[in-house]
Amino acid sequence: STGCLSGALAASRNAAVQFAIGGNGNIKGQGHAGGVFRGGMSGVAFGEGVRIVSRVTQGCQPLGREREVTSAEGNVLLTLDGEPALDVLLEEAAISLERPQAAMSTLRSTLVGLTAPGDDLMARAGTFGTDVEVRHIIGLDPGRRGVAVASKVEPGMRMAFCNRNSQAARADLTRICAEIREELEPQEMSLAVASALAAPEAQVAPSPERRIAGAIYVSCAGRGGPHFGGPSAELQIVRRALGDVPLVGFFAGGEIARHHVYGYTGVLTVFG
């Protein structure tokens, strides 16, 4: 009813499959069906009485300033603020096509952050906002001095070239966790809630006084442990920030939040 969706696309090179347990007639439309199914969707719908707070965390950092797409064709950026897109890319990424091997190595790690006309690109200096969709550079057009990206582009869109940045990703993930916890468990709280939060971990998890009942975290397959410094490091950040609450999730090939499909992001949904 809200029109908001949190989730992700399966990260599979081939057809995705689902493992399902039959509802034994208890789930409408399921009957006794169970086993491995091709395609489809899995999810959960929360009732109106469940409070939901969701945030998107970006994993990339802009290389230069915010620019407007002044001309484009299909997937090709042609001019940015009136300048040839390829010239802007070469300048901001500090590369030269005269040294192609070094240039290609840098280009593989360079991405494009895009927003629709009218949406904010930057949340604050050097940090992308939640409406930014990060896409790969898929080719160069030296003849037209253009840059091809893995998305349709049109004049009026806002953009910035960017790259993945582990420090920025860690800081942003910590920030959204803090925002969610503050919204659901503000500093001014009852004695019962404060006592529950101060209890040892073994007591915190099952406490009915906690206002966070559980969380779902979906992360891009391009983030993961190595990007955050070690196995499960990303989830440890979430756990330290939220406390020892039930947490489930998965890695994905495209993260969904509201009406956007993102890349290189994390989508954290907490319910009370």
Side-chain angles (χ1 to χ4, degrees), residues 19 192 269:
F19 298 85
T269 303

Side-chain angles (χ1 to χ4, degrees), residues 9-51:
L9 307 176
S12 174
R13 293 184 180 274
N14 300 304
V17 296
Q18 290 194 55
F19 298 85
I21 299 175
N24 295 325
N26 296 318
I27 303 175
K28 186 177 180 180
Q30 287 281 4
H32 292 275
V36 181
F37 298 89
R38 183 182 298 274
M41 180 179 73
S42 293
V44 57
F46 291 97
E48 293 181 358
V50 180
R51 187 177 181 190

Side-chain angles (χ1 to χ4, degrees), residues 187-209:
Q187 290 184 358
E188 294 183 8
M189 58 186 71
S190 68
L191 178 61
V193 174
S195 299
L197 296 180
E201 286 189 357
Q203 299 176 38
V204 172
S207 172
E209 299 297 343

